[in-house]
Amino acid sequence: MCSSSPGLYPWLCPPDIASSHQLPTTSLVTFGKIEENQDKRNIPTSSTRGVTTIMFSLKKEVGDLVKALQLFQEKHVDLVPIESHKSKRRDSDFEIFVNCDTDHEQLKELTQLLRRHTDFVGMTPSDNFPLLEDDMAGVPWFPEKISDLDLCVKRVLMYGSELDADHPGFKDNVYRRRRQYFAELAMNYKHGDPILRIDFTAEEVQTWGVVFRELCKLYISHACKEYLENLRLLVKYCNYSEENIPQLEDVSHFLKERSGFIIRPVAGYLSPRDFLAGLAFRVFHCTQYIRHSSEPLYTPEPDTCHELLGHVPLLAEPSFAQFSQEIGLASLGASDDAVQKLATCYFFTVEFGLCKQDGRLRAYGAGLLSSASELKHALSGKARLLPFDPTVTCNQECIITTFQDVYFVSESFEEAKDKMREFAKTIRRPFTVHYNAYTQSVDILKDTNSINSMVKDIRHELDIVEDALKRLRAPDTGVSGD
């Protein structure tokens, strides 16, 4: 039975779900300028020699390759075979792969020269010096395992009863004490703890109910189909309704079984770097406080109405969850400028994104799906729309006090994900990362040993696929040992 006024919202009543899917009964990020991160890594160096593959990109211009190779000659670096491939980044470029036998100091000087004279792409270092000191010295600290997020959430930029003078609850001391209570709960939370169940006040439930009721009137004609499908499930399994504010612990269990995401309480605004780092581990930082009751359809900051109605339904969608995680993974160890660009892309997709479905525009951004007025504006036909292109989107101004100047449209989640993957490849890091779902940690791929270990894992996965295909071809007779 649907607990959310089926007369008003019949589409919220979920169809019967198979018993195998039975479940137990954000986005807080500021998009201001990122301060320079002073927490840097110290990586040991080596003076021994080793063979390293250097990759750099060149335009299709006469003499460019000769000029680049002269840099190797000037540094007395011995070259092994040279290969060239058409660039996957830009059609007009070629990528050159050069194996060179060199020591650490030569390699350091050579890469500095290549950065000045070519579009330097990267390298696959030898085991003798996995990462150059000058490459890693400026890499900001980032969490390598999920429990490291305990450190990130301590660095909140604003939280608790610290409200701006124009905040609706600024003069309400009762509200400010309530906000301080939620902040202390979040600051004391550690990874692995159960999320404390909240006894919400009648005023808080009433405020939630107003938001829920007004938004549900719009969802059937404005929200994407994946959102609608998962909201129905949340009504059934997490008791989403006008009369009840869902508990974060229940929502976290629901997400874990649907997409692998979990919820973590947060006290206030996190920096873009810390917020995106959580996404890398499929952790969504979520507030528990409710906006002030004097203005239920307005909030100057994300609250639990925004998180639970805006973000959670699509975080339960596997494809969208992967899209969110990949933005997070791309941010680990990236420069401040790169993180700002990733955060801006997140803002105009996960927060304010539009997509096309069945020939019509639909909203998938949480900022839209938790704001009745801006949701109507974005799909009114009067808003300015542009196709989602990360290279353009990353430079767009993010507005948090009024409607956005422009909204970006994707053909699908898969298209947006593919474009973000290509964009992430342009971010310069002396390594890449791979999420290990078994250990809930990231593997830093920085040398041949770490890469070979990942290749073995991939081969094992391919063996499973090959075995499955064999069984499909011989369903009745079984698979021979030949």
Side-chain angles (χ1 to χ4, degrees), residues 118-138:
T118 70
D119 185 0
F120 184 79
V121 177
M123 67 182 73
T124 305
S126 71
D127 293 332
N128 289 333
F129 34 94
L131 285 167
L132 293 180
E133 180 183 20
D134 66 310
D135 277 339
M136 286 301 286

Side-chain angles (χ1 to χ4, degrees), residues 9 29 71 146 174 189 193 210 233 237 241 258 265 288 332 336 345 347 353 367 389 439 467:
Y9 323 117
V29 55
L71 299 176
I146 194 169
V174 174
Y189 179 86
D193 292 346
V210 172
L233 296 178
Y237 295 119
S241 73
R258 296 288 297 180
Q288 283 184 290
L332 299 181
D336 288 341
C345 287
F347 185 85
D389 177 354
T439 60
D467 180 62

